[in-house]
PDB file of all heavy atoms in Angstrom:
ATOM      1  N   ASN A 238      96.619 115.216  91.694  1.00 98.00           N
ATOM      2  CA  ASN A 238      98.025 115.540  91.275  1.00 98.00           C
ATOM      3  C   ASN A 238      98.862 114.250  91.415  1.00 98.00           C
ATOM      4  O   ASN A 238      99.415 113.771  90.479  1.00 98.00           O
ATOM      5  CB  ASN A 238      98.521 116.643  92.192  1.00 98.00           C
ATOM      6  CG  ASN A 238      99.901 117.083  91.742  1.00 98.00           C
ATOM      7  OD1 ASN A 238     100.789 116.314  91.779  1.00 98.00           O
ATOM      8  ND2 ASN A 238     100.027 118.317  91.371  1.00 98.00           N
ATOM      9  N   HIS A 239      98.844 113.650  92.613  1.00 98.00           N
ATOM     10  CA  HIS A 239      99.508 112.412  92.795  1.00 98.00           C
ATOM     11  C   HIS A 239      98.852 111.622  93.941  1.00 98.00           C
ATOM     12  O   HIS A 239      98.174 112.174  94.790  1.00 98.00           O
ATOM     13  CB  HIS A 239     100.994 112.560  93.042  1.00 98.00           C
ATOM     14  CG  HIS A 239     101.384 113.343  94.201  1.00 98.00           C
ATOM     15  ND1 HIS A 239     101.438 114.763  94.193  1.00 98.00           N
ATOM     16  CD2 HIS A 239     101.754 112.990  95.463  1.00 98.00           C
ATOM     17  CE1 HIS A 239     101.770 115.171  95.422  1.00 98.00           C
ATOM     18  NE2 HIS A 239     101.985 114.160  96.160  1.00 98.00           N
ATOM     19  N   SER A 240      99.115 110.304  93.963  1.00 99.00           N
ATOM     20  CA  SER A 240      98.632 109.441  95.048  1.00 99.00           C
ATOM     21  C   SER A 240      99.786 108.651  95.569  1.00 99.00           C
ATOM     22  O   SER A 240     100.650 108.240  94.802  1.00 99.00           O
ATOM     23  CB  SER A 240      97.574 108.438  94.484  1.00 99.00           C
ATOM     24  OG  SER A 240      96.464 109.072  94.000  1.00 99.00           O
ATOM     25  N   ILE A 241      99.777 108.392  96.867  1.00 98.00           N
ATOM     26  CA  ILE A 241     100.747 107.542  97.508  1.00 98.00           C
ATOM     27  C   ILE A 241     100.083 106.478  98.295  1.00 98.00           C
ATOM     28  O   ILE A 241      99.130 106.747  99.045  1.00 98.00           O
ATOM     29  CB  ILE A 241     101.641 108.435  98.471  1.00 98.00           C
ATOM     30  CG1 ILE A 241     102.249 109.588  97.751  1.00 98.00           C
ATOM     31  CG2 ILE A 241     102.741 107.527  99.112  1.00 98.00           C
ATOM     32  CD1 ILE A 241     103.038 110.561  98.620  1.00 98.00           C
ATOM     33  N   ALA A 242     100.562 105.220  98.096  1.00 98.00           N
ATOM     34  CA  ALA A 242      99.885 104.113  98.799  1.00 98.00           C
ATOM     35  C   ALA A 242     101.030 103.162  99.346  1.00 98.00           C
ATOM     36  O   ALA A 242     102.086 103.133  98.672  1.00 98.00           O
ATOM     37  CB  ALA A 242      99.021 103.337  97.853  1.00 98.00           C
ATOM     38  N   PRO A 243     100.762 102.465 100.417  1.00 98.00           N
ATOM     39  CA  PRO A 243      99.610 102.543 101.246  1.00 98.00           C
ATOM     40  C   PRO A 243      99.667 103.720 102.227  1.00 98.00           C
ATOM     41  O   PRO A 243     100.762 104.131 102.560  1.00 98.00           O
ATOM     42  CB  PRO A 243      99.685 101.207 102.002  1.00 98.00           C
ATOM     43  CG  PRO A 243     101.130 100.907 102.146  1.00 98.00           C
ATOM     44  CD  PRO A 243     101.755 101.433 100.852  1.00 98.00           C
ATOM     45  N   TYR A 244      98.516 104.207 102.681  1.00 98.00           N
ATOM     46  CA  TYR A 244      98.429 105.037 103.844  1.00 98.00           C
ATOM     47  C   TYR A 244      98.191 104.138 105.027  1.00 98.00           C
ATOM     48  O   TYR A 244      97.089 103.543 105.168  1.00 98.00           O
ATOM     49  CB  TYR A 244      97.351 106.135 103.703  1.00 98.00           C
ATOM     50  CG  TYR A 244      97.313 107.033 104.899  1.00 98.00           C
ATOM     51  CD1 TYR A 244      98.275 108.028 105.052  1.00 98.00           C
ATOM     52  CD2 TYR A 244      96.370 106.852 105.900  1.00 98.00           C
ATOM     53  CE1 TYR A 244      98.268 108.837 106.152  1.00 98.00           C
ATOM     54  CE2 TYR A 244      96.361 107.694 106.995  1.00 98.00           C
ATOM     55  CZ  TYR A 244      97.314 108.642 107.127  1.00 98.00           C
ATOM     56  OH  TYR A 244      97.315 109.534 108.216  1.00 98.00           O
ATOM     57  N   VAL A 245      99.244 103.923 105.852  1.00 98.00           N
ATOM     58  CA  VAL A 245      99.131 102.860 106.819  1.00 98.00           C
ATOM     59  C   VAL A 245      98.521 103.334 108.104  1.00 98.00           C
ATOM     60  O   VAL A 245      99.138 104.185 108.855  1.00 98.00           O
ATOM     61  CB  VAL A 245     100.560 102.303 107.100  1.00 98.00           C
ATOM     62  CG1 VAL A 245     100.405 101.110 108.037  1.00 98.00           C
ATOM     63  CG2 VAL A 245     101.171 101.834 105.817  1.00 98.00           C
ATOM     64  N   ASP A 246      97.308 102.937 108.443  1.00 98.00           N
ATOM     65  CA  ASP A 246      96.684 103.224 109.714  1.00 98.00           C
ATOM     66  C   ASP A 246      95.568 102.158 109.789  1.00 98.00           C
ATOM     67  O   ASP A 246      94.487 102.237 109.226  1.00 98.00           O
ATOM     68  CB  ASP A 246      96.082 104.621 109.699  1.00 98.00           C
ATOM     69  CG  ASP A 246      95.454 104.982 111.055  1.00 98.00           C
ATOM     70  OD1 ASP A 246      94.748 104.098 111.583  1.00 98.00           O
ATOM     71  OD2 ASP A 246      95.540 106.131 111.456  1.00 98.00           O
ATOM     72  N   MET A 247      95.851 101.087 110.577  1.00 98.00           N
ATOM     73  CA  MET A 247      94.942  99.893 110.614  1.00 98.00           C
ATOM     74  C   MET A 247      93.553 100.310 111.081  1.00 98.00           C
ATOM     75  O   MET A 247      92.547  99.771 110.609  1.00 98.00           O
ATOM     76  CB  MET A 247      95.537  98.825 111.534  1.00 98.00           C
ATOM     77  CG  MET A 247      96.442  97.821 110.790  1.00 98.00           C
ATOM     78  SD  MET A 247      96.098  97.624 109.010  1.00 98.00           S
ATOM     79  CE  MET A 247      94.696  96.580 109.060  1.00 98.00           C
ATOM     80  N   ASN A 248      93.538 101.241 112.035  1.00 98.00           N
ATOM     81  CA  ASN A 248      92.201 101.673 112.591  1.00 98.00           C
ATOM     82  C   ASN A 248      91.387 102.269 111.472  1.00 98.00           C
ATOM     83  O   ASN A 248      90.262 101.949 111.198  1.00 98.00           O
ATOM     84  CB  ASN A 248      92.448 102.595 113.771  1.00 98.00           C
ATOM     85  CG  ASN A 248      91.175 103.007 114.365  1.00 98.00           C
ATOM     86  OD1 ASN A 248      90.249 102.206 114.516  1.00 98.00           O
ATOM     87  ND2 ASN A 248      91.050 104.260 114.773  1.00 98.00           N
ATOM     88  N   LEU A 249      92.027 103.264 110.784  1.00 98.00           N
ATOM     89  CA  LEU A 249      91.272 103.956 109.695  1.00 98.00           C
ATOM     90  C   LEU A 249      90.950 102.983 108.573  1.00 98.00           C
ATOM     91  O   LEU A 249      89.881 103.071 107.892  1.00 98.00           O
ATOM     92  CB  LEU A 249      92.117 105.097 109.110  1.00 98.00           C
ATOM     93  CG  LEU A 249      92.210 106.351 110.010  1.00 98.00           C
ATOM     94  CD1 LEU A 249      93.074 107.376 109.340  1.00 98.00           C
ATOM     95  CD2 LEU A 249      90.866 106.940 110.378  1.00 98.00           C
ATOM     96  N   GLN A 250      91.851 102.023 108.285  1.00 98.00           N
ATOM     97  CA  GLN A 250      91.608 101.070 107.238  1.00 98.00           C
ATOM     98  C   GLN A 250      90.309 100.248 107.604  1.00 98.00           C
ATOM     99  O   GLN A 250      89.490 100.138 106.681  1.00 98.00           O
ATOM    100  CB  GLN A 250      92.843 100.154 107.111  1.00 98.00           C
ATOM    101  CG  GLN A 250      92.683  99.010 106.086  1.00 98.00           C
ATOM    102  CD  GLN A 250      92.964  99.462 104.681  1.00 98.00           C
ATOM    103  OE1 GLN A 250      93.831 100.349 104.458  1.00 98.00           O
ATOM    104  NE2 GLN A 250      92.350  98.862 103.698  1.00 98.00           N
ATOM    105  N   ASN A 251      90.248  99.846 108.853  1.00 98.00           N
ATOM    106  CA  ASN A 251      89.068  99.086 109.241  1.00 98.00           C
ATOM    107  C   ASN A 251      87.755  99.903 109.129  1.00 98.00           C
ATOM    108  O   ASN A 251      86.764  99.408 108.698  1.00 98.00           O
ATOM    109  CB  ASN A 251      89.224  98.521 110.656  1.00 98.00           C
ATOM    110  CG  ASN A 251      90.245  97.449 110.720  1.00 98.00           C
ATOM    111  OD1 ASN A 251      90.564  96.825 109.708  1.00 98.00           O
ATOM    112  ND2 ASN A 251      90.945  97.246 111.866  1.00 98.00           N
ATOM    113  N   ILE A 252      87.894 101.144 109.528  1.00 99.00           N
ATOM    114  CA  ILE A 252      86.676 102.027 109.495  1.00 99.00           C
ATOM    115  C   ILE A 252      86.257 102.247 108.038  1.00 99.00           C
ATOM    116  O   ILE A 252      85.119 102.113 107.629  1.00 99.00           O
ATOM    117  CB  ILE A 252      86.951 103.367 110.183  1.00 99.00           C
ATOM    118  CG1 ILE A 252      87.210 103.117 111.657  1.00 99.00           C
ATOM    119  CG2 ILE A 252      85.760 104.318 109.944  1.00 99.00           C
ATOM    120  CD1 ILE A 252      87.666 104.362 112.430  1.00 99.00           C
ATOM    121  N   ALA A 253      87.285 102.568 107.169  1.00 99.00           N
ATOM    122  CA  ALA A 253      86.975 102.781 105.766  1.00 99.00           C
ATOM    123  C   ALA A 253      86.364 101.532 105.105  1.00 99.00           C
ATOM    124  O   ALA A 253      85.374 101.621 104.353  1.00 99.00           O
ATOM    125  CB  ALA A 253      88.215 103.215 105.030  1.00 99.00           C
ATOM    126  N   GLU A 254      86.916 100.411 105.475  1.00 99.00           N
ATOM    127  CA  GLU A 254      86.388  99.101 104.912  1.00 99.00           C
ATOM    128  C   GLU A 254      84.910  98.924 105.354  1.00 99.00           C
ATOM    129  O   GLU A 254      84.036  98.477 104.592  1.00 99.00           O
ATOM    130  CB  GLU A 254      87.264  97.945 105.220  1.00 99.00           C
ATOM    131  CG  GLU A 254      88.571  97.943 104.569  1.00 99.00           C
ATOM    132  CD  GLU A 254      89.420  96.691 104.830  1.00 99.00           C
ATOM    133  OE1 GLU A 254      89.002  95.772 105.455  1.00 99.00           O
ATOM    134  OE2 GLU A 254      90.623  96.736 104.357  1.00 99.00           O
ATOM    135  N   SER A 255      84.697  99.212 106.642  1.00 98.00           N
ATOM    136  CA  SER A 255      83.312  98.986 107.143  1.00 98.00           C
ATOM    137  C   SER A 255      82.310  99.930 106.476  1.00 98.00           C
ATOM    138  O   SER A 255      81.202  99.573 106.152  1.00 98.00           O
ATOM    139  CB  SER A 255      83.270  99.089 108.678  1.00 98.00           C
ATOM    140  OG  SER A 255      83.260 100.463 109.023  1.00 98.00           O
ATOM    141  N   TYR A 256      82.748 101.173 106.240  1.00 99.00           N
ATOM    142  CA  TYR A 256      81.872 102.117 105.502  1.00 99.00           C
ATOM    143  C   TYR A 256      81.588 101.615 104.089  1.00 99.00           C
ATOM    144  O   TYR A 256      80.466 101.677 103.601  1.00 99.00           O
ATOM    145  CB  TYR A 256      82.548 103.515 105.422  1.00 99.00           C
ATOM    146  CG  TYR A 256      82.632 104.306 106.651  1.00 99.00           C
ATOM    147  CD1 TYR A 256      83.443 105.493 106.754  1.00 99.00           C
ATOM    148  CD2 TYR A 256      81.875 103.920 107.808  1.00 99.00           C
ATOM    149  CE1 TYR A 256      83.478 106.223 107.910  1.00 99.00           C
ATOM    150  CE2 TYR A 256      81.966 104.645 108.970  1.00 99.00           C
ATOM    151  CZ  TYR A 256      82.732 105.856 109.000  1.00 99.00           C
ATOM    152  OH  TYR A 256      82.846 106.573 110.124  1.00 99.00           O
ATOM    153  N   HIS A 257      82.688 101.178 103.388  1.00 99.00           N
ATOM    154  CA  HIS A 257      82.570 100.643 102.052  1.00 99.00           C
ATOM    155  C   HIS A 257      81.588  99.512 102.025  1.00 99.00           C
ATOM    156  O   HIS A 257      80.682  99.491 101.199  1.00 99.00           O
ATOM    157  CB  HIS A 257      83.913 100.221 101.597  1.00 99.00           C
ATOM    158  CG  HIS A 257      84.041  99.894 100.128  1.00 99.00           C
ATOM    159  ND1 HIS A 257      83.565  98.712  99.600  1.00 99.00           N
ATOM    160  CD2 HIS A 257      84.601 100.549  99.079  1.00 99.00           C
ATOM    161  CE1 HIS A 257      83.818  98.657  98.316  1.00 99.00           C
ATOM    162  NE2 HIS A 257      84.410  99.793  97.967  1.00 99.00           N
ATOM    163  N   ARG A 258      81.671  98.601 102.997  1.00 98.00           N
ATOM    164  CA  ARG A 258      80.758  97.453 103.004  1.00 98.00           C
ATOM    165  C   ARG A 258      79.338  97.882 103.236  1.00 98.00           C
ATOM    166  O   ARG A 258      78.442  97.332 102.521  1.00 98.00           O
ATOM    167  CB  ARG A 258      81.147  96.501 104.221  1.00 98.00           C
ATOM    168  CG  ARG A 258      82.340  95.625 103.916  1.00 98.00           C
ATOM    169  CD  ARG A 258      82.406  94.428 104.915  1.00 98.00           C
ATOM    170  NE  ARG A 258      83.594  93.740 104.576  1.00 98.00           N
ATOM    171  CZ  ARG A 258      84.780  93.924 105.174  1.00 98.00           C
ATOM    172  NH1 ARG A 258      84.868  94.856 106.125  1.00 98.00           N
ATOM    173  NH2 ARG A 258      85.843  93.267 104.831  1.00 98.00           N
ATOM    174  N   LYS A 259      79.101  98.926 104.123  1.00 98.00           N
ATOM    175  CA  LYS A 259      77.736  99.328 104.300  1.00 98.00           C
ATOM    176  C   LYS A 259      77.144  99.884 102.997  1.00 98.00           C
ATOM    177  O   LYS A 259      76.007  99.641 102.689  1.00 98.00           O
ATOM    178  CB  LYS A 259      77.726 100.436 105.380  1.00 98.00           C
ATOM    179  CG  LYS A 259      77.808  99.932 106.779  1.00 98.00           C
ATOM    180  CD  LYS A 259      77.639 101.037 107.789  1.00 98.00           C
ATOM    181  CE  LYS A 259      77.962 100.548 109.175  1.00 98.00           C
ATOM    182  NZ  LYS A 259      78.436 101.591 110.048  1.00 98.00           N
TER     183      LYS A 259
END
Side-chain angles (χ1 to χ4, degrees):
N238 185 299
H239 61 277
S240 296
I241 304 175
Y244 181 75
V245 184
D246 182 321
M247 272 332 283
N248 183 39
L249 287 179
Q250 179 80 33
N251 289 335
I252 295 171
E254 289 184 8
S255 77
Y256 287 170
H257 189 285
R258 282 199 184 91
K259 281 186 189 154

